[in-house]
Amino acid sequence: MARCQMLEEERRRREEAEKRLQDETFHRQQLVEKEVKMRAKNFSQARPMTRYLPIRKEEFDLRSHVESSGHSVETCYHLILTEKMCKGYLVKMGGKIKSWKKRWFVFDRLKRTFSYYVDKHETKLKGVIYFQAIEEVYYDHLRSATKSPNTSLTFCVKTHDRLYYMVAPSAEAMRIWMDVIVTGAEGYTQFMN
């Protein structure tokens, strides 16, 4: 009788363990399916990598490109954006003396230059970055810019011979500037051979 009771209890424990295993397997399967759906959704909403390549086409409309990237250009009053140009103030760190100065920047797709001036009258040119020299544009996530006026709005423009640190007036302005400048980043292509 005791042996029968022990066998019955053992069978009941195995059935419970098997039921827990089935429940766990079913739960894991649901999690996997949910993760797959989330990945598929994120992938379908993701911007294609071609958005981060330089664009050389003559008929390219810069403003339309930026708007189609999800930026609200209308509400970002910190910059002027047309089909061939982007203009606005950025604070730039100096090359030799590491002081921060407010400069008027002009990204010109026709001249293929990213120039900066003392002010928006564009009379005193302070420097020019040619599209061919621009290798990368990225957010300064390492906070490497010394004494940045605003670390959360600092981004970098890497050229063949220098790293430019810039601070945008707002988060949206920074995202727009980065997407704009990347369309002219022709410098990295020489390493793709």
Side-chain angles (χ1 to χ4, degrees):
M1 188 68 171
R3 183 164 160 73
C4 251
Q5 210 173 7
M6 277 178 40
L7 287 172
E8 185 62 33
E9 199 157 310
E10 179 66 29
R11 188 185 59 75
R12 194 177 47 76
R13 274 198 299 256
R14 280 188 186 169
E15 283 176 358
E16 284 174 7
E18 199 171 300
K19 174 85 171 101
R20 280 196 308 269
L21 186 62
Q22 282 177 342
D23 290 348
E24 182 66 27
T25 304
F26 178 74
H27 181 67
R28 284 185 184 201
Q29 186 61 36
Q30 284 183 320
L31 287 174
V32 167
E33 286 172 13
K34 187 177 173 184
E35 179 69 23
V36 167
K37 283 179 186 170
M38 279 177 51
R39 282 187 191 167
K41 181 182 175 195
N42 289 345
F43 183 75
S44 70
Q45 291 175 348
R47 296 197 289 172
M49 286 305 290
T50 52
R51 284 218 182 266
Y52 305 102
L53 295 174
I55 301 159
R56 289 186 120 142
K57 289 182 255 164
E58 290 294 318
E59 72 280 0
F60 177 73
D61 185 333
L62 185 61
R63 186 181 174 103
S64 294
H65 172 76
V66 168
E67 287 172 338
S68 73
S69 300
H71 298 296
S72 50
V73 178
E74 288 297 319
T75 59
C76 189
Y77 57 90
H78 296 291
L79 44 83
I80 301 160
L81 185 62
T82 67
E83 58 184 41
K84 298 290 180 206
M85 282 186 163
C86 186
K87 298 179 177 192
Y89 279 109
L90 293 170
V91 177
K92 183 186 82 61
M93 187 172 80
K96 291 180 181 73
I97 301 160
K98 304 295 180 204
S99 61
W100 292 87
K101 296 258 194 286
K102 188 176 182 179
R103 296 288 181 233
W104 180 257
F105 279 82
V106 177
F107 180 90
D108 189 333
R109 289 198 56 84
L110 297 174
K111 293 180 185 171
R112 301 203 10 240
T113 58
F114 184 41
S115 311
Y116 50 101
Y117 300 84
V118 171
D119 57 34
K120 66 176 166 188
H121 301 297
E122 297 177 25
T123 49
K124 191 167 182 199
L125 179 69
K126 295 298 284 180
V128 178
I129 305 169
Y130 294 96
F131 283 10
Q132 298 97 310
I134 301 170
E135 292 177 2
E136 288 180 80
V137 183
Y138 55 90
Y139 176 68
D140 184 29
H141 60 280
L142 295 176
R143 306 270 197 258
S144 33
T146 46
K147 297 187 178 93
S148 169
N150 191 333
T151 51
S152 64
L153 299 176
T154 305
F155 66 99
C156 312
V157 177
K158 185 178 185 287
T159 66
H160 298 325
D161 55 358
R162 183 173 162 193
L163 187 56
Y164 291 85
Y165 289 101
M166 297 170 192
V167 178
S170 72
E172 181 64 0
M174 178 184 74
R175 289 189 292 269
I176 291 172
W177 271 114
M178 288 173 68
D179 271 5
V180 162
I181 298 165
V182 113
T183 67
E186 297 174 2
Y188 86 99
T189 51
Q190 71 181 54
F191 302 108
M192 291 178 68
N193 298 337

